[in-house]
Amino acid sequence: QVELVESGGGLVQSGGSLRLSCAASGNTFSINAMGWYRQVQGQERAWVASITHGGTSNHADAVRGRFTISRDNAKNTIYLQMNNLFPEDTAVYYCTAGYHYLDYQPAYWGQGTQVTVSS
């Protein structure tokens, strides 16, 4: 079992920045990729970004150039640096962990952290 705990959400004005963190614990040796999803109220969860243990990463078109995923393997922690935020980025952001990077399918989910961007 892998546990994921997010932090760093909150309220920010349009154009502002936030950094989300996610610490993983438990049987992390089997995890090869981690990532972020988000869910806008009334919509399905959507993939935002993912990253391998070695640092290879990919980002959704909607956030590429504004958001950056990174990781600190020594701390079993990933981050999502979010810059130039728009009101449409308002969502609950979920940290995830999975066994495969290609065709990334999360096996574990965090509890989510709310990000609200005011106009």
Side-chain angles (χ1 to χ4, degrees), residues 4-119:
L4 304 171
V5 179
E6 304 105 331
S7 60
L11 174 64
V12 64
Q13 289 188 334
S14 181
S17 298
L18 280 175
R19 190 177 83 153
L20 305 182
S21 300
C22 172
S25 62
N27 294 328
T28 59
F29 66 90
S30 63
I31 297 301
N32 291 310
M34 295 181 67
W36 295 94
Y37 276 65
R38 67 184 182 184
Q39 186 169 25
V40 176
Q41 191 170 10
Q43 299 182 18
E44 294 186 355
R45 292 180 182 180
W47 170 75
V48 174
S50 50
I51 189 167
T52 68
H53 189 81
T56 299
S57 64
N58 197 10
H59 299 76
D61 289 343
V63 306
R64 188 172 293 119
R66 299 188 298 123
F67 292 11
T68 302
I69 190 171
S70 62
R71 67 185 300 157
D72 183 336
N73 290 332
K75 296 181 179 179
N76 274 338
T77 298
I78 66 168
Y79 307 95
L80 186 67
Q81 178 66 44
M82 304 184 293
N83 298 328
N84 193 21
L85 283 158
F86 303 145
E88 49 264 44
D89 294 316
T90 295
V92 177
Y93 284 72
Y94 295 91
C95 177
T96 65
Y99 302 117
H100 307 287
Y101 174 69
L102 295 178
D103 190 22
Y104 180 65
Q105 297 292 330
Y108 301 97
W109 294 78
Q111 80 284 358
T113 185
Q114 177 70 47
V115 171
T116 303
V117 184
S118 63
S119 58

